[in-house]
Amino acid sequence: MSKKALLIIPPERFNEDELFKPKEELENAGVEVTIASTVAGEITGDYDGKATASVIFSDVSPTEFDVVSVIGGSGTNDHLWGNQELQGFLKQAYNEKVLVTGICAGAVTVAKTGLLSGREATCYPVDVQKNELIAVDVKYVEQHVVAHGDIITGDGPQGAKEFGKALVKALR
């Protein structure tokens, strides 16, 4: 499968399971994975895991990829939820028929674009995230993955492998 995925993590405190499990599923299916953030270089996760963002998301075009995914973690709330540049990037990806996805707090980032308004999505089952979905007219569903044809959301670490499998399935 000659597909490409862009996984966007916050500049600090990404969730390791939410990054590494979908990344592994994608790579095992032959998808070329690029990790991006708001900064380039080594980034430390919530549990001191390390990942290297090889690009700043705004330095690439979403049309270079078949899927763009916003990864969660405690840093996502602080650095990605209100990032207007990222909102525009996700909307551009969606308008160019690139699969837009998010897991945990990353699902909230996707919802904040307005692309999920009036639709169902999932996120980590805590009030702070569920309330963010409800605030933008998204119906919270308590399950690991909610897959629409154009947007996929995942709930968090427990559903990270299933989220990765849903991305692979959508790319086939």
Side-chain angles (χ1 to χ4, degrees), residues 1-5 22-33 66 168 171-172:
M1 181 185 303
S2 63
K3 302 280 186 173
K4 293 183 177 183
K23 180 179 182 284
E24 180 181 21
E25 292 296 325
L26 289 162
E27 288 175 341
N28 287 344
V31 177
E32 181 185 323
V33 175
D66 301 288
V168 170
L171 290 174
R172 292 203 188 282

Side-chain angles (χ1 to χ4, degrees), residues 68-88:
V68 172
S69 188
V70 183
I71 304 301
S74 62
T76 299
N77 306 35
D78 297 337
H79 299 285
L80 302 183
W81 277 8
N83 187 314
Q84 293 302 305
E85 194 171 22
L86 179 57
Q87 299 287 325

Side-chain angles (χ1 to χ4, degrees), residues 32-95:
E32 181 185 323
V33 175
T34 301
I35 298 174
S37 187
T38 56
V39 298
E42 187 175 82
I43 296 174
T44 302
D46 280 327
Y47 304 100
D48 296 323
K50 306 285 187 204
T52 300
S54 59
V55 296
I56 296 172
F57 79 85
S58 57
D59 289 346
V60 297
S61 168
T63 59
E64 295 174 40
F65 302 92
D66 301 288
V67 60
V68 172
S69 188
V70 183
I71 304 301
S74 62
T76 299
N77 306 35
D78 297 337
H79 299 285
L80 302 183
W81 277 8
N83 187 314
Q84 293 302 305
E85 194 171 22
L86 179 57
Q87 299 287 325
F89 186 88
L90 295 172
K91 288 177 188 175
Q92 181 188 352
Y94 182 84
N95 290 333

Side-chain angles (χ1 to χ4, degrees), residues 2-159:
S2 63
K3 302 280 186 173
K4 293 183 177 183
L6 185 68
L7 305 184
I8 302 172
I9 61 175
E12 61 178 354
R13 303 185 329 271
F14 67 91
N15 182 279
E16 289 85 343
D17 284 343
E18 294 169 13
L19 174 63
F20 297 128
K21 288 181 179 181
K23 180 179 182 284
E24 180 181 21
E25 292 296 325
L26 289 162
E27 288 175 341
N28 287 344
V31 177
E32 181 185 323
V33 175
T34 301
I35 298 174
S37 187
T38 56
V39 298
E42 187 175 82
I43 296 174
T44 302
D46 280 327
Y47 304 100
D48 296 323
K50 306 285 187 204
T52 300
S54 59
V55 296
I56 296 172
F57 79 85
S58 57
D59 289 346
V60 297
S61 168
T63 59
E64 295 174 40
F65 302 92
D66 301 288
V67 60
V68 172
S69 188
V70 183
I71 304 301
S74 62
T76 299
N77 306 35
D78 297 337
H79 299 285
L80 302 183
W81 277 8
N83 187 314
Q84 293 302 305
E85 194 171 22
L86 179 57
Q87 299 287 325
F89 186 88
L90 295 172
K91 288 177 188 175
Q92 181 188 352
Y94 182 84
N95 290 333
E96 297 284 348
K97 308 292 186 234
V98 174
L99 179 64
V100 175
T101 70
I103 183 167
C104 191
V108 174
T109 305
V110 172
K112 285 176 166 282
T113 63
L115 297 172
L116 280 166
S117 294
R119 299 167 84 182
E120 293 182 345
T122 192
C123 62
Y124 197 72
V126 292
D127 286 346
V128 67
Q129 290 191 24
K130 294 191 300 190
N131 290 341
E132 290 290 334
L133 292 184
I134 293 163
V136 291
D137 190 34
V138 176
K139 182 178 188 295
Y140 169 75
V141 180
E142 190 170 332
Q143 59 193 52
H144 286 317
V145 175
V146 175
H148 300 283
D150 53 355
I151 299 177
I152 298 173
T153 54
D155 67 348
Q158 300 79 7

